[in-house]
Amino acid sequence: MSLITDDWRLKLLAVGLAVLMLAAVAFSQNPPTIGNLVIPLNYTMPPNLILVNRPTKIDITYSGLADAIKNVNTSNTFATVDATHASLGSAVRLAVRVTSISGVTVQNPAPIVFNVDTLQTKDLSVQVIARTAPGWSLGKHDAVCPGAQPTPCVVHFLGPLTWETNLTASVTIPGLLSATNSESSNWPIQLQNSNGFLDLTTCRTQPCASLDVTAVGVHLEASPGSTSSTVALVIAPPTHKPASGYYITDVTITPNTVVISGDAATLGRIRNIVLPALDLSGKTADYTQTVQIPYPDGTSGPVATATVKYSITRDPNASPPPGG
């Protein structure tokens, strides 16, 4: 017994030093390590919302012992943004949650700021924009959807509600038409809204904005006569927005295309006619206005006016007006 109790303090100190030496040797072979990795970013979405301008990847930082760190890769480390309870808005912060293998601690990235919009489908009649050679006039000109859909065809856009303001679908036929009948297929559909052309080849939203039909056939008829072409009518952005707490959900122009006549050189430079801007100051409900069609110099058309209807809706997230 004395062998154990004699000089017990020294013996305890020796055992402690031995443990520390073993730990030092172990850590020298398996030291704490920090790593970085770029991984795909996954999203959990409700059926009625869409995120605009979302990133697809994120850079993460993680730490742990070297034996665990060496096994970290994109197949066992996951980053997720949960948008199931997100609110509509232009600068919504959503957290990123990252998980990895046992023994690894991941530093969750900073929240990401998104535009959160309503996911909505919009039906679009495909317009055919064509020009005739001198001495010819344009007659029937229809887009033909694949399958047994009616003519002219209607396609369906699925995407952010704010992208659908003044949204049109069209096919532009290059060159000048000088044939009585023409049938062709696989013409790409071009989308255009109040901000310009929409390119859906690159996914900028979650889920991706889409068009159910991306190319159509075209039936054209022309006859000898005056030179004419069909162009789309678009409306200039309002000079003033609706009342505070209200926003535009749709713009309808009737008719949405007109036939214009003039010399071939002039018609070749005209893609659309921009209707004058309207003042929506103080508007809290749908607003309809008839405007003159400003035909470009050197052209004319049989339709003098167009009717513009703005659909205006209250923002559910806006504060109620004073006394409301």
Side-chain angles (χ1 to χ4, degrees):
M1 195 66 188
S2 61
L3 290 176
I4 299 176
T5 57
D6 288 347
D7 299 324
W8 66 272
R9 291 184 178 85
L10 291 176
K11 292 175 181 178
L12 183 60
L13 178 59
V15 171
L17 291 174
V19 171
L20 290 174
M21 290 181 65
L22 287 174
V25 172
F27 274 107
S28 68
Q29 296 176 348
N30 188 24
T33 306
I34 296 176
N36 293 90
L37 184 67
V38 177
I39 60 175
L41 194 54
N42 304 294
Y43 293 88
T44 303
M45 298 295 303
N48 62 325
L49 293 183
I50 184 169
L51 303 181
V52 181
N53 294 330
R54 90 288 184 266
T56 59
K57 297 180 180 180
I58 195 164
D59 192 344
I60 62 165
T61 299
Y62 52 93
S63 59
L65 297 180
D67 283 349
I69 291 296
K70 68 181 181 182
N71 296 317
V72 175
N73 56 55
T74 56
S75 65
N76 56 32
T77 304
F78 308 95
T80 304
V81 172
D82 186 353
T84 52
H85 301 291
S87 301
L88 295 173
S90 59
V92 179
R93 293 166 62 88
L94 296 178
V96 182
R97 182 174 180 269
V98 183
T99 58
S100 189
I101 58 177
S102 177
V104 172
T105 301
V106 181
Q107 179 181 337
N108 279 328
I112 302 176
V113 178
F114 299 90
N115 291 346
V116 181
D117 205 343
T118 300
L119 179 64
Q120 181 170 291
T121 299
K122 185 178 180 68
D123 298 343
L124 301 170
S125 297
V126 181
Q127 308 162 14
V128 176
I129 300 174
R131 302 184 302 277
T132 57
W136 289 78
S137 62
L138 187 63
K140 186 176 181 180
H141 49 295
D142 294 326
V144 182
C145 278
Q149 293 194 38
T151 300
C153 72
V154 174
V155 297
H156 310 285
F157 171 80
L158 179 64
L161 176 62
T162 53
W163 287 13
E164 296 177 358
T165 301
N166 209 21
L167 183 64
T168 61
S170 63
V171 170
T172 301
I173 308 301
L176 300 177
L177 185 65
S178 60
T180 54
N181 286 282
S182 175
E183 299 279 351
S184 55
S185 60
N186 204 34
W187 288 97
I189 295 175
Q190 298 170 322
L191 293 177
Q192 186 175 12
N193 63 11
S194 297
N195 295 320
F197 287 100
L198 286 180
D199 181 9
L200 300 186
T201 58
T202 300
C203 181
R204 297 160 45 203
T205 61
Q206 181 65 36
C208 295
S210 62
L211 196 62
D212 65 336
V213 175
T214 58
V216 296
V218 171
H219 172 80
L220 298 171
E221 295 180 4
S223 58
S226 61
T227 303
S228 62
S229 67
T230 300
V231 297
L233 296 180
V234 298
I235 184 75
T239 57
H240 295 91
K241 296 181 179 180
S244 177
Y246 292 82
Y247 63 97
I248 300 168
T249 59
D250 195 15
V251 181
T252 304
I253 301 174
T254 306
N256 55 17
T257 62
V258 291
V259 177
I260 61 175
S261 300
D263 66 84
T266 300
L267 296 183
R269 295 190 295 268
I270 301 172
R271 294 293 181 178
N272 54 51
I273 297 177
V274 180
L275 301 177
L278 300 181
D279 185 356
L280 302 182
S281 299
K283 298 295 184 293
T284 60
D286 293 355
Y287 178 68
T288 301
Q289 177 74 41
T290 299
V291 298
Q292 292 289 323
I293 300 175
Y295 289 98
D297 292 342
T299 69
S300 61
V303 181
T305 62
T307 301
V308 180
K309 178 183 178 182
Y310 279 94
S311 298
I312 298 174
T313 302
R314 178 169 176 77
D315 186 345
N317 296 313
S319 301

